[in-house]
Amino acid sequence: MELDPADLTATELLECLDRGETTSLEIAEAALRAIEARDTTVGAFLTVDREAVLTQAAAIDAKRKRGEVLGRLRGLPVAIKDVLCTEGEPTTCASRMLKDFRPPFDATVVSRLKAADAVILGKTNMDEFAMGGSTENSAFRITRNPWDTSRVPGGSSGGSAACVAARMAPLSVGSDTGGSIRQPAGLCGVTGLKPTYGRVSRYGLVAFASSLDQIGPLARSAEDVALLLEVLAGHDPRDSTSINLPVPRYSESVRRPLDALRIGLVREHFGPGLDGEVEAAVREAVRVYQSLGAVIREISLPHSRYAVAVYYIIAPCEASSNLARYDGVHFGYRTDERAMAAELESERRRFVAAGEADALAELDNPLVRMYRRTRSEGFGPEVKRRIMLGTYALSAGYYDAYYLKALKVRRLIRQDYDDAFREVDLIAGPVAPTPAFKIGERIHDPLAMYLFDLYTVGANLAGIAGISIPCGFSSAGLPIGLQLQAPPFEEERLLRAAHMFQQATDWHRAKPPLAVSRSS
């Protein structure tokens, strides 16, 4: 049976597998055909090992034929963001610094996927070290939005969202530090969930900002996201921030609607900077919830206006610390020392002529010189920018004024959410201020790029759960996302609310023209 993965969701594929109407190998072959046909245009994947994919799928079919009990995913293909360690396979973080790095172990979520009998389809493109909101900062390629390939897919999990939107994978895994799952999900018209901090193990996730990073699922529907989250979530003793709480059966409870749902609309999220079409789509989505019996209340998150500023102090500070390990000594990229020696004498003459004694002393230290050149050559511009921002904010004389103050305001932001959730069950609002923007439009304007995170960074600072679901299209045919946020460890509530909406609407079923097969 030949399948077009664009025609079936992950849940539907599982039903076909259970009825014997298809095999894991046939599904894997269909996914590989879609990648071959579309990924030269989209650029969602960095690595795909065709033979390894087919071998995994055939092994699962063999287990099924022998009557062995299979895991929750029982042969479904899953794409993985290239920020997660995969044993013996490239894990680059889309950076030249880790171009040849092959970890000796699997991240916990990768181990759980394998234990659930998933087929690891490949590693997806991203902004370098997850720093960016457009997937233009990759050292290797730009990922394009399947709905309009002249536009960005969002970031940093742009490849993870784009491969699902383009029907190259039914499921994918991303990471979210300030909106990096929800924002690309919103711009690409798929469903993406950032779990509560601690719900999913971060062991084997290459760190950007350790107090903010969280791994989560992307798929075409809340039902599929629930299925994948059930596999990813759970306590892990190897991650000291992992919470030891039971994992609900999300895939079963997701179908139960919520009664007497109270939804809050944040006053501060509907002001200057919000695109009119985005606001209209979000408000219409809220009216759908009203028709389903929800009560809508206006609420306030008074410190939300500081969220972007706080995030862009805390995250770069943590990045400065985490990325200090990339020094050209232990692993990763190392500068060409022969070329370094050849340039030494010309640099020496330049520093002597300029009277730069400190620089000359550094030049005479071969270890410092190697560190400097390795990091200068290995990191891209956005990563360097954030390392410098963080190093400055942590430096003597500035720590109290910037980092310490940001931590205090972060606590106030969390308190705003705690207060709001005493009044409402969920908070609804936009995912991003506008639909997807043009490639190259903001890459040289860091402030404009950072402000695009306005509605998503709050959930990371507060450590709460958030989900993006499709809720409409702009006049240009670009997807618009609705963000729902819930109290800590209430992913079940988020998924049930998202599924309610998707049962009442068809936005999540829309398919980009690029993914429409000739047989459709």
Side-chain angles (χ1 to χ4, degrees):
M1 172 183 176
E2 184 171 318
L3 292 176
D4 179 355
D7 294 333
L8 298 173
T9 66
T11 303
E12 291 165 344
L13 286 170
L14 283 183
E15 291 170 354
C16 289
L17 285 166
D18 292 344
R19 291 193 298 263
E21 295 173 359
T22 187
T23 65
S24 299
L25 186 60
E26 288 174 335
I27 293 172
E29 288 172 337
L32 290 169
R33 285 195 300 273
I35 292 170
E36 184 178 355
R38 300 167 195 153
D39 205 45
T40 51
T41 301
V42 176
F45 286 92
L46 288 177
T47 56
V48 176
D49 186 338
R50 179 182 178 84
E51 292 309 310
V53 170
L54 298 177
T55 299
Q56 292 175 74
I60 293 167
D61 283 335
K63 289 172 67 175
R64 181 180 285 110
K65 190 173 182 179
R66 292 193 298 267
E68 296 182 26
V69 176
L70 294 176
R72 295 287 296 123
L73 299 180
R74 35 195 199 283
L76 290 184
V78 181
I80 299 175
K81 185 177 180 179
D82 203 26
V83 73
L84 289 160
C85 289
T86 44
E87 183 180 358
E89 300 297 328
T91 299
T92 71
C93 295
S95 177
R96 188 181 178 197
M97 185 65 80
L98 290 177
K99 181 182 177 187
D100 299 315
F101 177 56
R102 292 174 181 259
F105 66 97
D106 280 332
T108 293
V109 295
V110 174
S111 297
R112 288 180 174 167
L113 288 168
K114 291 179 177 179
D117 287 313
V119 173
I120 307 302
L121 189 55
K123 305 294 286 291
T124 56
N125 197 22
M126 55 185 282
D127 287 294
E128 184 182 7
F129 282 101
M131 298 184 196
S134 64
T135 318
E136 294 172 280
N137 293 315
S138 170
F140 306 122
R141 68 192 308 185
I142 291 173
T143 299
R144 298 175 180 275
N145 193 313
W147 289 92
D148 179 345
T149 56
S150 71
R151 296 179 185 268
V152 303
S156 64
S157 305
S160 296
C163 74
V164 173
R167 297 345 192 226
M168 292 184 277
L171 301 168
S172 71
V173 179
S175 67
D176 191 311
T177 306
S180 291
I181 289 173
R182 291 159 291 152
Q183 189 239 65
L187 299 192
C188 289
V190 301
T191 303
L193 184 142
K194 183 204 88 71
T196 307
Y197 185 81
R199 173 57 88 182
V200 177
S201 171
R202 294 183 300 110
Y203 179 79
L205 170 73
V206 180
F208 163 14
S210 301
S211 76
L212 301 166
D213 298 339
Q214 188 59 194
I215 299 162
L218 297 100
R220 286 162 54 189
S221 69
E223 197 172 31
D224 288 358
V225 163
L227 172 71
L228 185 52
L229 181 62
E230 198 171 298
V231 172
L232 302 178
H235 179 245
D236 178 11
R238 293 175 295 183
D239 175 4
S240 62
T241 64
S242 174
I243 303 299
N244 192 2
L245 287 176
V247 177
R249 295 286 285 184
Y250 299 118
S251 61
E252 295 175 3
S253 63
V254 67
R255 297 182 180 90
R256 297 202 310 267
L258 291 162
D259 296 323
L261 184 63
R262 301 171 301 164
I263 295 178
L265 285 183
V266 182
R267 186 181 305 122
E268 292 83 1
H269 287 179
F270 294 90
L274 179 61
D275 178 84
E277 290 185 317
V278 172
E279 179 174 359
V282 168
R283 291 193 181 278
E284 179 57 34
V286 170
R287 283 190 282 273
V288 171
Y289 275 110
Q290 281 183 298
S291 73
L292 297 173
V295 175
I296 310 302
R297 298 181 182 176
E298 185 178 84
I299 61 169
S300 177
L301 298 175
H303 294 94
S304 62
R305 63 183 181 275
Y306 304 119
V308 170
V310 168
Y311 176 84
Y312 280 102
I313 293 173
I314 293 174
C317 284
E318 295 186 11
S320 172
S321 176
N322 279 325
L323 272 64
R325 71 193 70 177
Y326 303 108
D327 54 12
V329 177
H330 297 95
F331 55 86
Y333 175 78
R334 186 172 193 164
T335 189
D336 186 334
E337 294 184 77
R338 290 174 298 178
M340 181 172 70
E343 294 176 12
L344 177 60
E345 191 54 40
S346 64
E347 289 187 10
R348 186 188 304 280
R349 286 196 296 268
R350 179 164 58 85
F351 288 140
V352 168
E356 297 180 14
D358 290 344
L360 188 60
E362 180 182 298
L363 195 66
D364 287 331
N365 185 325
L367 192 59
V368 171
R369 193 167 67 248
M370 188 273 291
Y371 288 158
R372 186 186 68 181
R373 287 178 59 92
T374 292
R375 290 168 67 80
S376 176
E377 295 166 2
F379 291 134
E382 183 59 30
V383 174
K384 291 177 189 174
R385 179 182 293 118
R386 298 199 194 191
I387 290 174
M388 288 189 290
L389 282 170
T391 304
Y392 178 83
L394 290 173
S395 61
Y398 298 101
Y399 179 94
D400 288 353
Y402 292 102
Y403 185 64
L404 187 59
K405 185 177 288 186
L407 291 179
K408 291 177 179 178
V409 180
R410 179 182 188 172
R411 185 65 191 88
L412 295 174
I413 290 169
R414 171 59 187 264
Q415 188 62 53
D416 285 348
Y417 277 105
D418 290 345
D419 293 343
F421 286 127
R422 291 189 187 97
E423 299 179 34
V424 297
D425 302 309
L426 297 173
I427 295 172
V431 175
T434 71
F437 49 87
K438 292 278 190 180
I439 292 171
E441 184 179 313
R442 303 187 186 187
I443 194 69
H444 300 298
D445 188 349
L447 181 58
M449 195 75 82
Y450 297 169
L451 288 172
F452 206 68
D453 299 336
L454 178 63
Y455 306 121
T456 53
V457 294
N460 298 83
L461 293 168
I464 64 172
I467 193 170
S468 171
I469 55 177
C471 72
F473 287 89
S474 71
S475 57
L478 300 171
I480 295 171
L482 171 72
Q483 179 176 219
L484 300 174
Q485 297 175 89
F489 304 104
E490 289 291 349
E491 288 82 7
E492 194 170 26
R493 187 187 303 175
L494 270 184
L495 289 164
R496 290 171 65 187
H499 184 66
M500 280 173 61
F501 181 82
Q502 292 182 340
Q503 289 296 100
T505 63
D506 288 323
W507 301 117
H508 65 293
R509 301 182 191 280
K511 185 189 300 186
L514 174 144
V516 176
S517 67
R518 291 187 180 90
S519 60
S520 296

